[in-house]
Amino acid sequence: MKKKWRSSLTVSVLTAISVLFLALSFGQEHLTAQSIAVEAGVLHTGVSEPIENGVVLIEDGVITAVGSASDISIGDQFERLKAAVVTPGFIDAHSTVGLSGIYNVDADQDQLETSSAIQPELRAIDAYNAREELVGYLRDLGITTVHTGHGPGAVISGQTMIVKTGGGDTIQEVLMDSVTALAMTMGSAVRSNFDKPGTRSKAVAMLRQALIDAQDYASKEDKKRDLGKEALQALLEGEITALVTAHTVSDITTALRLQKEFGFPMMLDGASEAYLLIDEIREAGVPVIIHPSMIRTYGDAQSASFTTAGVLAEAGIPVVFQSGYEAYVPKTRVVHFEAAIAVANGLSHDQAIRSLTIDAAKLLGIDDKVGSVEIGKDADLALFDGDPFEYITNTTAVIINGEVVYRAE
Amino acid sequence: MINRRILWMAVVVIVMQLTAGLWMPAGSWLTGGLSEVWAQEKPLAFTGAEIVPVSGDPIADGVLIVQNGKILAVGAAGEVDIPRDAEVRDASGYVIMPGLVDSHSHIGQGDGGDRSSALHPDVRIMDTIRPDSDTFKKAIAGGITTVNVMPGSGHLMSGQTVYLKLRPANTIEDMLLYVDEEQTIYGGLKMANGTNSLRNPPFPGTRGKSAAMVRSLYIKAQEYQKALEAGAEDPSKMPKRDLQMETLVEVLEGKRIVHNHTHRHDDILTSIRLAEEFGYRMVLHHVSEAAYVAEEIAESGFPASIIVIDSPGGKHEAVNLKFEMGPALEKAGALVGYHTDDGITDSRLFLRSAAFGVRAGMSRKTAIEAVTIANAKMMDLGDRVGTLEPGKDADFILLNGDPLSTYTHVTETWIEGNKVFDRNNEEQLPFATGGPDVFRGTGYGHHDHDHGRAQ
């Protein structure tokens, strides 16, 4: 593992040197000028029926052609990559990787600040380790975009952001969206991390008061800057979203109640018992980032079911997948492993692919760049030697911004 | 692992049971109390299914006949005589394989390790298990029929493990699987090294101290063993009964297998070193860095019961845990099994672990053995469960497709000739999928989650 780390470091240094050289000599804008033709036995675009014998052309980091092999001629300048199945790079709609690290020691766990239960001012960009091994682990499995940041466990634990899992070694290089959501939690997890609140109802009272204070702050002309209130103001003005982790019926209904009271945009996260509140969730127009299918069935999530993603999708509720936050092992889950269990338990294969790609991109507001194989979009692709949901399938290559960032030996 | 004596015994037992089955009244030789009552007397024959006997190649159009809780016959259609009085069940389209055997689990809601000391060879997990626990239903929904339930973790010796057959039962006694002829041994001894048991005194603070504490206790047990021998000659020399020492003497005599939690490659080697010093039998568990010392493991002859975790890390000594560990052990020639470590991984998805082995390069044959017969051997139960062979317990599962496919479900689980799970039964389906209050009070207190941060 260490060896791999060094070699990737060497590669990055070499890349940096060659990039610098290219920039000096040609002054070109697109520096990853690699032309790749991806030939797929089955090509999932995320926005159409799967294409058999599909081809994707990649130039200057973006997709320049998509279609059937019979319709696209591949010029000599293209490096050819073949795979049984090709999909858009998968999107993990909610994770903490990069803030939480592989070793699970104080030095690499920054997803939860326990000094106070409400801290909307904590920025994810200030704590993200782009070189975290778990990020590379997810990337090499085909996950190219991650919505990550502060985790569950506080009333408001902080901000989240969106990054790519490759194409750079610093937060600046991989950042797609610096502030996406405020991570909130309703449920029993909060009181185990804080003395105050000690109950669910106190947590809600504290949250409502903070939002009311932010309304007051927003209405004032002359004011001292307050980072926390600024973040809440952004939420109230709809610039960012509330990512509310809630599992039980009472916690989900409380989340919906608050959303109605303050009118902020909201994503429901976890939602183990969502199958008991289909009408309410649909009526609220709230999307669901469903709990990992393999979440452990205890505590607030004891009633979790493998079938929930399928049930919600069937009811017309937008549902996407997450790796979630894990306190122990596995330190991160893998979104398409989770989606696979949902497909085995009622979710359609096509919907699962869309949930992992274009639907997640739309939900996160990044569908202009990623989430589908379409002309003009970032060339982020995952290549597999079979159905990506089969346990025995391996990822054979991963492309981010037109660059091959992983290739199976 | 399996010595000649046990192998020979297995042959005798199988032959005896085969002949017994012909004339003895139903269930008279069954050890399980409840199963005597409900094992069917008429033979039951499954036809048309693909049968994966594990003891041999898959049979495309196979026949499985069971009676009185035992397997009567297995073979290809046309090659097996179906008794005239047999009830015949058409299982076309299904795959039938042995009930799964899990060599390391924490189902049953038993107590975790006791913090008063790092060494508890006297502690029995069987005294704290709930036979009616939902976790057992979860396991049979995943096709698991035999399981090694372990105490702990977080101790050098957290206690005695228990080998269970997941029969519906009111008492733990009705679930026990005995492994010796005197019917006194029905489990192993859980040990651990590495960071698992490091903390403040009376626990060890370092790896060196851990090994010294374990060795000191085994030396004491050797002395106790000698005193017992002397006592056998001269009753006045018989030592006082000591539960800790008695258990360790069983270990020293090879009657009780040590199940040793170990992750880092050097901890694996230390486990082997200690087992060889005292001559006890051992199964290595987790073995996260197995690939680094696969040759040494194979050479030692100690089997490895390993785990599949979806990502490496979560603790320092598991950062190199990869799907490739299973294939590496196979390649080196070690006996390898997978385990759930439930609640670490989910009993309902046990076959997934075998499939992930195949994903990383393991042969399908070894992968299937790794969730059946390999684990049975690691508990001295290879003569009773783990394959579909005449004379063995009629523990088997029906699947609606390739056992290693994501899309395949266990549709039925049978234990000793009785159906204990049926996916088509609406009341039982939720044990496979989850749902409102299906799993209650099934938190897993066995693992020391101080290693991780609270959520």
Side-chain angles (χ1 to χ4, degrees), chain A residues 116-308:
Chain A
S116 160
I118 297 184
Q119 307 205 51
E121 65 272 28
L122 307 187
R123 299 192 300 190
I125 53 169
D126 295 324
Y128 184 72
N129 176 9
R131 290 176 178 273
E132 165 55 42
E133 287 186 48
L134 289 177
V135 174
Y137 179 78
L138 294 180
R139 176 192 61 226
D140 294 353
L141 288 167
I143 294 151
T144 55
T145 303
V146 180
H147 174 214
T148 188
H150 290 91
V155 178
I156 301 178
S157 64
Q159 303 170 13
T160 64
M161 63 175 181
I162 302 168
V163 291
K164 290 208 182 174
T165 56
D169 290 324
T170 63
I171 178 66
Q172 287 88 338
E173 288 171 311
V174 297
L175 189 64
M176 290 192 77
D177 182 26
S178 59
V179 190
T180 310
L182 293 182
M184 306 183 184
T185 302
M186 311 260 159
S188 65
V190 177
R191 64 166 170 262
S192 60
N193 293 323
F194 299 93
D195 291 333
K196 185 184 168 187
T199 59
R200 285 170 152 94
S201 42
K202 180 67 180 179
V204 175
M206 288 167 66
L207 180 55
R208 292 180 64 225
Q209 189 62 55
L211 287 164
I212 288 164
D213 291 350
Q215 282 173 330
D216 189 41
Y217 178 83
S219 68
K220 275 189 193 154
E221 294 281 318
D222 258 351
K223 58 197 165 196
K224 272 214 280 197
R225 281 192 69 189
D226 182 312
L227 294 176
K229 291 196 175 77
E230 278 179 13
L232 288 174
Q233 185 180 341
L235 174 71
L236 291 167
E237 289 170 359
E239 287 168 28
I240 59 174
T241 305
L243 172 74
V244 184
T245 303
H247 284 284
T248 65
V249 165
S250 69
D251 293 325
I252 294 171
T253 48
T254 299
L256 296 177
R257 189 181 312 120
L258 289 188
Q259 192 268 336
K260 215 169 181 180
E261 179 180 359
F262 293 96
F264 49 73
M266 184 172 103
M267 299 183 276
L268 199 52
D269 177 84
S272 290
E273 297 178 10
Y275 52 78
L276 296 172
L277 292 166
I278 296 283
D279 292 342
E280 290 80 359
I281 294 170
R282 194 169 38 203
E283 214 166 282
V286 171
V288 175
I289 305 178
I290 194 67
H291 60 79
S293 306
M294 293 181 274
I295 195 171
R296 294 184 178 113
T297 50
Y298 67 91
D300 287 355
Q302 74 165 12
S303 293
S305 170
F306 290 160
T307 62
T308 306

Side-chain angles (χ1 to χ4, degrees), chain A residues 5-23:
Chain A
W5 174 258
R6 271 199 301 276
S7 68
S8 74
L9 190 67
T10 317
V11 170
S12 347
V13 169
L14 286 175
T15 314
I17 291 170
S18 47
V19 163
L20 190 66
F21 177 73
L22 275 170

